Amino acid sequence: MSLESFSIIESTLREGEQFVNAFFSTAEKIQIATLLDAFGVEYLELTSPLASPESYSDCVTIANLGLSAKILTHTRCTLEDAKKAVDTGVDGVDVVIGTSSYLRDFSHGKSIDQIIDIASEVVSYLLSQGVETRFSTEDSLRSDSGDILRVYKAVDDLGVHRVGIADTVGVGTPMQIYRLVSNLRQEIKADIEFHGHNDSGCAVANAYAALEGGATHIDTSVLGIGERNGITPLGGLIARLYATDKNLVKKYNLPLLNKLDHLVARLVQVDVPFNNYITGFASFTHKAGIHAKAVLNNPETYEILNPEDFGMSRYIHVAHRLTGWNAVKNRADQLGLELSDDAVKYLTRRIKEKADNGSMTLDDVDELLYQAAKQENTAEEVAAA
Ligand code: HCA
Ligand code: CU
């Protein structure tokens, strides 16, 4: 298992540009690349230089920013594309070709033997140019496993740095991915990359299963943006790894995740989803009285992710009918109000009654707490006089 030494190939600027709302200007690409680099991802993958003249010049520009992350571009598996990619000055080139019967019959029309020939030619060329070279099979999950193994072995024999498994349509399950990667691990020497789409909600689990099976590189994008509903989200992968062992992600600047998610959300004109990993607005809010009480005593009772490690904060929601007196007392403490336990218990009952009769806000709760504190003070003053 390569959990201890994996790398992230961050593809917001390639797969992410395939998201329906993504139209990044050069300046925006630089902003995203710089922030991802500060976060600490090991690689940035950029749109093919053949896509448009600006895509070409953006590869050159980002390759020359002097970032710590290695810069990759992504092309079809042809000599012409590979040459253009090398010309941009990137550190590495990710080539991909379809191996499923769907893509062989309805897309490029090549046989497996023809794929091996072209892959060998392109990989040999890229290696001769001294760039980090990855060869991947599109739609790997719906390809014949014997076929793809034959192709991977051919490029492995040439010394390719990495082979990629792509779940292009998001059909794989964690068990399938685990088996596919661990079988491949037995057969080839090269590093193994996994790229997984999220059509059926397994992209994070599949990426994790790939790592457990021996994958060394995982593709992500910020918020998971990409074709259709996208790929493994960066934040989701980080949450999954942190939950296993937070030391696995200590190499990253975790508090920048919130900035990244909000930057990309703004640029592609979506909201950060309420239930987003780590940075969604509900990610660290606790509501039911039983949860609130336990979390106030020890946050780990209901939190596997410590919000502080991500520069986020926990929120205990008190203004509702499921609230409990411990949460209300905590709110009174936050406001600096001294109230007896009996008073807080009485107020908690009032909050529940009021909430039953309509919606309540935190301001309503605070108002009740302030009034009660004033009354207690007055009563004390009267008693003392
Ligand atoms: C696509 C291609 C790809 C490539 C993945 C890879 C996919 O846009 O369809 O290079 O490993 O999902 O197959 O993103
Ligand atoms: Cu993809």
Side-chain angles (χ1 to χ4, degrees):
M1 140 146 137
S2 46
L3 276 178
E4 281 77 27
S5 59
F6 69 93
S7 297
I8 291 177
I9 297 184
E10 227 299 329
S11 192
T12 302
L13 296 177
R14 196 282 294 174
E15 177 75 50
E17 214 185 358
Q18 296 174 224
F19 172 53
V20 62
N21 273 12
F23 311 95
F24 301 128
S25 67
T26 305
E28 290 169 347
K29 288 185 188 178
I30 293 173
Q31 212 183 346
I32 294 171
T34 310
L35 198 52
L36 282 167
D37 188 57
F39 179 80
V41 296
E42 289 82 357
Y43 294 84
L44 297 173
E45 188 181 63
L46 311 179
T47 294
S48 168
L50 287 102
S52 71
E54 191 165 296
S55 303
Y56 182 95
S57 60
D58 288 345
C59 281
V60 176
T61 305
I62 294 174
N64 282 298
L65 287 178
L67 301 178
S68 308
K70 284 190 187 171
I71 308 301
L72 309 172
T73 189
H74 184 263
T75 72
R76 291 168 300 189
C77 190
T78 71
L79 212 47
E80 184 206 347
D81 285 27
K83 284 186 172 153
K84 195 110 188 207
V86 169
D87 287 347
T88 64
V90 291
D91 302 299
V93 182
D94 289 347
V95 297
V96 64
I97 192 164
T99 43
S100 68
S101 58
Y102 293 96
L103 294 171
R104 276 162 43 209
D105 294 346
F106 300 110
S107 182
H108 56 61
K110 293 189 175 61
S111 69
I112 291 295
D113 284 329
Q114 286 171 315
I115 290 175
I116 291 180
D117 285 347
I118 181 94
S120 302
E121 188 183 21
V122 171
V123 166
S124 304
Y125 165 74
L126 289 171
L127 291 173
S128 77
Q129 299 301 301
V131 292
E132 195 170 311
T133 304
R134 185 221 61 178
F135 172 83
S136 166
T137 63
E138 196 182 349
D139 207 359
S140 317
L141 270 285
R142 295 189 302 172
S143 303
D144 180 89
S145 56
D147 282 349
I148 53 174
L149 189 58
R150 226 152 53 80
V151 186
Y152 288 139
K153 276 189 161 165
V155 291
D156 194 43
D157 286 345
L158 296 171
V160 76
H161 296 95
R162 226 168 37 252
V163 299
I165 290 175
D167 182 9
T168 306
V169 294
V171 70
T173 66
M175 190 69 92
Q176 268 177 313
I177 304 294
Y178 177 81
R179 289 207 183 108
L180 189 59
V181 175
S182 39
N183 287 341
L184 191 57
R185 189 61 295 161
Q186 309 298 314
E187 303 283 347
I188 61 156
K189 302 181 292 296
D191 283 346
I192 300 175
E193 173 177 337
F194 175 73
H195 174 99
H197 279 258
N198 202 28
D199 300 70
S200 61
C202 290
V204 173
N206 286 346
Y208 189 78
L211 288 172
E212 288 180 304
T216 49
H217 294 66
I218 299 293
D219 290 12
T220 66
S221 68
V222 176
L223 297 174
I225 60 170
E227 287 284 344
R228 306 184 306 283
N229 81 334
I231 63 164
T232 307
L234 176 63
L237 181 69
I238 296 292
R240 176 56 267 165
L241 291 164
Y242 177 107
T244 297
D245 177 354
K246 68 182 198 175
N247 288 317
L248 297 175
V249 291
K250 67 169 190 274
K251 59 183 171 171
Y252 301 116
N253 188 346
L254 300 179
L256 287 184
L257 194 59
N258 194 33
K259 236 178 154 177
L260 270 166
D261 281 351
H262 283 88
L263 169 68
V264 171
R266 179 167 59 76
L267 295 179
V268 301
Q269 295 171 41
V270 298
D271 290 327
V272 172
F274 73 91
N275 58 350
N276 198 43
Y277 314 92
I278 302 164
T279 63
F281 88 82
S283 295
F284 297 109
T285 60
H286 301 276
K287 183 169 173 187
I290 295 171
H291 286 238
K293 177 183 178 188
V295 164
L296 288 167
N297 285 329
N298 177 358
E300 282 182 32
T301 46
Y302 288 103
E303 279 176 0
I304 53 164
L305 312 171
N306 179 357
E308 285 158 26
D309 286 342
F310 301 92
M312 305 293 292
S313 38
R314 163 180 318 118
Y315 176 64
I316 310 271
H317 188 29
V318 285
H320 56 88
R321 62 159 67 121
L322 308 182
T323 200
W325 78 274
N326 288 279
V328 175
K329 186 163 180 51
N330 180 255
R331 182 62 191 163
D333 291 347
Q334 282 175 352
L335 298 175
L337 302 176
E338 278 187 35
L339 286 167
S340 68
D341 286 357
D342 282 347
V344 172
K345 284 177 186 166
Y346 166 74
L347 288 168
T348 306
R349 287 196 295 277
R350 294 269 322 267
I351 293 168
K352 285 169 176 282
E353 280 162 19
K354 285 187 129 205
D356 266 348
N357 290 323
S359 69
M360 270 200 101
T361 66
L362 187 59
D363 280 348
D364 298 333
V365 170
D366 290 353
E367 183 60 30
L368 280 174
L369 293 172
Y370 279 122
Q371 272 175 15
K374 217 162 149 190
Q375 278 162 13
E376 278 204 2
N377 283 343
T378 318
E380 273 169 28
E381 279 160 23
V382 169

